[in-house]
Amino acid sequence: MDTVRVFLVALPRRQKRLIQVATDVVLIWVALWLAFIVRLGIEDIYDPVKEHFWLFLSAPVVAIPLFIRFGMYRAVMRYFGNDALIAIIKAVSLSSLILAVVVFWYSNHQAVVPRSIIFNYWWLSLVIIVGLRLAMRQYFMGDWFSGAQHIPFTNRDDGLTKVAVYGAGTAGNQLVAALRMGRMMRPVAFIDDDSSIADRVISGLQVFNPENIQQMIDVTGAQEILLAIPSTSRARRRDILSRLEGFPLHVRSVPAFMDLASGRVKVDDIQEVDIADLLGRDAVPAQEELLERCIKRQSVLVTGAGGSIGSELCRQIVALAPTTLLLFDHSEFNLYSILSELEQRIARESLPVRLVPILGSVRNQQQLLDVMKSWHVDTVYHAAAYKHVPMVEHNIAEGMLNNVMGTLNTAQAALQAGVASFVLISTDKAVRPTNIMGSTKRLAEMTLQALSREPAPVMFGDNSNVSRVNKTRFTMVRFGNVLGSSGSVIPLFHKQIKSGGPLTVTHPKITRYFMTIAEAAQLVIQAGAMGQGGDVFVLDMGEPVKIVELAEKMIHLSGLSVRSERNPQGDIAIEFTGLRPGEKLYEELLIGDNVDATQHPMIMSAHEDHLLWEMLKERLAELLAAISEDDYGRVRQLLRETVSGYSPDGEIVDWIYQQRRLEP
């Protein structure tokens, strides 16, 4: 059977159509012959059929041209669906009607044809022609019983992974059809919250209530659950995942509704459960006026455009109709990647945006100034920074020069170029930091706070003492971890689960705030539009998440169990490696309690202490001098005196300086 199927599928299209036409001619004769039998009986059939033989010649002559006209031979048998079924009904009905006219005309001149013959011919043709096509669809799909799991004696073990589909709606049915077509998995059941369809059969699969998941596993042997609920809220998805976590099933999902609607993915693009669903936070709808205020019909510069946050900012900015988007990054590969992605999107959606990729470093103030003046930049989003805590902890000089001086250079260039709005992407690690990365980001915030309160500052490093009129609104936006960013724990856990574990967690009590990268970028744009000058905005990150609990959930939703003292036979262990250099157990978003609400429910305005510009310049000069002299004890002392709450856990050690000291 498989050989015949492969042979028929491989035939040229012309030969396939000839076979279909010949088959339909035979089916029309069979339907007409059966119509006579239904009307006259099998015993008296020979003479009437012989007398009305002309009718057997007329029927295909009338029907086949109509079948061709209605596109019955253009439909691919493997994808035979509702549209093709409606076309067949129309073609058969019209051909029967025309044949009735022929019979009426002929009966006035020759022998009378019983009227019921035409009616019998109509419904028999529908049954036979549609029935054969449905049968052939199942045959070419290679599974005669794919839609009959509820029928006794039709189940069989074909070696495919058995999956239950959570959601018996449109997406769920499309997913089942796609899985049957692809034959990579075998759908065996539906699970749905709608009690009115519980124990019913949809697409050949029994629908189970979520309360009866164990029964479903026992009856069907399901090994995985695929979530086909793309339009459900994150809060609801979190509840569903919490319920499924207790069963030994690998849980995956189909893409979100907007991804399906936009055509970026197909309904059968199965993916791991989105960790954002575990958090259960639904994004607050964006305020269009805030999104567009600093971007629409303006020239926008994004530093660190190839990074996690910078690239997402660029994706959202291009949709807001800037005249020009300048992508600034020191990594050629990262810059090329985001440029290629945005160029394809602009071409696909015909967006009126000019992209300008610029290779450069934020430590080169003159280049930044030239870029901003040449392209008449209106808004700057400063995302360029070193963010990996343990890495920066032992590369102190680079962390200071990039995070602090890089921000200072970009801000001073913006001020000199007359940029209207400057937004710094900050972090929760800037609050009472225990590490170099956090203290450098807080120092970057303080730099912008000091600059924003100077109507005509003298630039740092400018020995001419020339004041510059300050027309720039400096704004800082502080938030926690973003899902999917470089260095995020989530991709690491996925990788460790695939390799069989163990999952490494630094401490059993460590917690972190999480937000999706798209939501964070959207809120950054809106917060930047609200700034009046020197504002420190804090994003509402929801409740902090215990990392060990997140690791356990990811293991359970992969269909595996946690190996522990209570369960020594589990699949994957969780190991605690100890806090890394500079790492905190708990992160905070505010230094003090002085915080105000804003017009956006997810954005708060914090009031933080800062230094005057002249005093800060002196402190920055001392820090640079200490770094140039490799005096990291002095660096530590200056940071303690400058950054409120800075309390390093251990000695400050720069790897380059340490190695240089060890050399004879």
Side-chain angles (χ1 to χ4, degrees), residues 34 112 139 143 155 169 174 187 206 230 247 304 310 337 345 510 512 557 559 572 600 608 626-627 643:
L34 289 175
V112 175
Y139 171 70
D143 191 352
N155 291 333
Q174 289 177 347
Q206 183 175 348
F247 299 95
S337 299
R345 180 179 175 185
I510 193 167
R512 288 294 180 265
L557 293 173
I572 294 181
H600 195 291
E608 310 283 26
I627 289 172
V643 177

Side-chain angles (χ1 to χ4, degrees), residues 38 52-53 56 140 260 267 313 323 367 462 548 570 608 630 653:
V38 170
H52 300 293
F53 186 72
F56 285 82
F140 284 119
L260 293 171
V267 73
L313 280 170
T323 56
Q367 183 192 20
D462 186 356
V548 67
E608 310 283 26
D630 291 332
V653 178

Side-chain angles (χ1 to χ4, degrees), residues 227-242:
L227 301 180
I229 45 176
S231 58
T232 304
S233 69
R234 289 206 183 279
R236 178 62 189 140
R237 291 169 76 92
R238 180 188 59 185
D239 293 341
I240 291 171
L241 291 173
S242 297

Side-chain angles (χ1 to χ4, degrees), residues 55 62 94-107 118:
L55 197 57
V62 171
L94 185 57
S95 67
S96 300
L97 184 61
I98 294 174
L99 189 63
V101 173
V102 172
V103 167
F104 176 78
W105 176 82
Y106 191 80
S107 297
I118 298 300

Side-chain angles (χ1 to χ4, degrees), residues 318-480:
V318 294
L320 297 172
T323 56
T324 306
L325 174 58
L326 296 98
L327 315 172
F328 191 95
D329 204 290
H330 76 285
S331 169
E332 181 184 28
F333 176 76
N334 288 349
L335 188 61
Y336 170 76
S337 299
I338 187 62
L339 176 66
S340 300
E341 177 187 332
L342 295 179
E343 284 179 335
Q344 293 176 18
R345 180 179 175 185
I346 287 172
R348 183 173 62 249
E349 300 178 17
S350 301
L351 300 174
V353 181
R354 181 173 185 178
L355 293 180
V356 181
I358 299 172
L359 277 171
S361 171
V362 291
R363 287 157 65 172
N364 186 341
Q365 182 173 330
Q366 187 58 49
Q367 183 192 20
L368 288 164
L369 179 58
D370 292 341
V371 168
M372 294 182 197
K373 282 186 174 181
S374 300
W375 293 96
H376 306 289
V377 172
D378 300 293
T379 303
V380 173
Y381 293 98
H382 182 54
Y386 291 142
K387 306 180 183 72
H388 196 275
V389 170
M391 197 78 72
V392 178
E393 195 66 14
H394 294 305
N395 289 273
I396 301 166
E398 289 300 308
M400 289 290 299
L401 294 173
N402 196 70
N403 292 1
V404 180
M405 300 310 298
T407 300
L408 175 64
N409 292 337
T410 311
Q412 290 192 150
L415 191 150
Q416 291 175 270
V419 171
S421 179
F422 184 105
V423 182
L424 169 68
I425 312 302
S426 191
T427 170
D428 57 355
K429 294 173 178 61
V431 179
R432 280 184 277 274
T434 59
N435 50 66
I436 291 294
M437 195 282 276
S439 61
T440 58
K441 292 299 285 184
R442 176 56 190 147
L443 202 50
E445 289 181 358
M446 294 172 67
T447 300
L448 298 191
Q449 286 177 298
L451 269 177
S452 68
R453 281 156 177 79
E454 289 291 328
V458 175
M459 299 293 99
F460 178 83
D462 186 356
N463 297 323
S464 64
N465 289 324
V466 175
S467 298
R468 309 277 182 172
V469 177
N470 188 354
K471 298 180 180 179
T472 305
R473 288 184 299 107
F474 291 104
T475 303
M476 295 131 276
V477 184
R478 189 187 289 165
F479 55 92

